[in-house]
Amino acid sequence: MQPLTRVALASLATLALATAVGCRPPRPGTPVGMTLAPTAPPAPLATLVWVGRGVAERRVAGGWQPAPAFDYEFTVEQRRYADHWDSVKTLRRYHPAYDGSAGPRVQVYLFRIDLTPGPTGVAYRVTSTLGAGRGTSDPEFREASMELTADVSMFAPFDRYRITQHYQYEAGRLTELVELDDGAAPWVRNHEEATLFGPARFARPPTAAVAATR
């Protein structure tokens, strides 16, 4: 076999580089509602973790009927800063009859809420994977409401989300009503209730403590 010439070696190197670049994965996109930072994000003023359940209802013949196949479990991680909140919500539907019409069984939503204090409360500007919108809260963030323009197909039977929240910090409880609305009346609504979780220390592994009580 003849030794490779300098030109041939250069051609092979160019081909190898082109192949490597062609196989390189594309730059990742930025999900709507995600706050980017070149280093680790600063420590928030507070991080709240909520764990709960959503119970679905669908409007039928002018009334509300349970839709258990669409019920879900969820967790929300809220990172609260002075001028905004970053939240990640993970939703899971376990019912075997769920038909997939509301998306995958497991879904992750991102929310950024920019805060503007006012004389009587706080104004929200929401950017999220569900859609963008605005809302308001009292100064202590106990009662909040917001409306988002839904990022859905034009053929969907709704075009907005209306969310009403009641934070009961002292009880470690959050209740929320999420309505899928067409501007005239809600089509689907989800009643959410969650428990607040915080840092804890265990004298022994929790599983061992449970086993010892049996």
Side-chain angles (χ1 to χ4, degrees), residues 102-200:
R105 285 188 179 274
V106 178
Q107 301 176 37
V108 178
Y109 303 115
L110 302 178
F111 299 84
R112 179 185 168 110
I113 301 179
D114 289 285
L115 310 172
T116 303
T120 60
V122 181
Y124 286 178
R125 181 169 61 87
V126 185
T127 308
S128 78
T129 46
L130 284 180
R134 296 188 178 275
T136 58
S137 170
D138 66 281
E140 292 189 326
F141 302 106
R142 294 179 180 273
E143 306 289 334
S145 62
M146 63 196 81
E147 182 172 306
L148 311 180
T149 300
D151 185 13
V152 294
S153 165
M154 62 180 296
F155 300 106
F158 68 99
D159 61 6
R160 69 199 69 188
Y161 298 96
R162 286 181 174 162
I163 302 172
T164 306
Q165 298 174 319
H166 306 281
Y167 288 94
Q168 302 171 45
Y169 299 104
E170 292 81 0
R173 184 168 177 261
L174 166 64
T175 59
E176 182 168 309
L177 178 64
V178 181
E179 297 176 298
L180 283 61
D181 201 306
D182 65 359
W187 170 64
V188 166
R189 66 184 185 186
N190 300 314
H191 300 271
E192 295 186 352
E193 184 169 332
T195 301
L196 176 64
F197 282 74

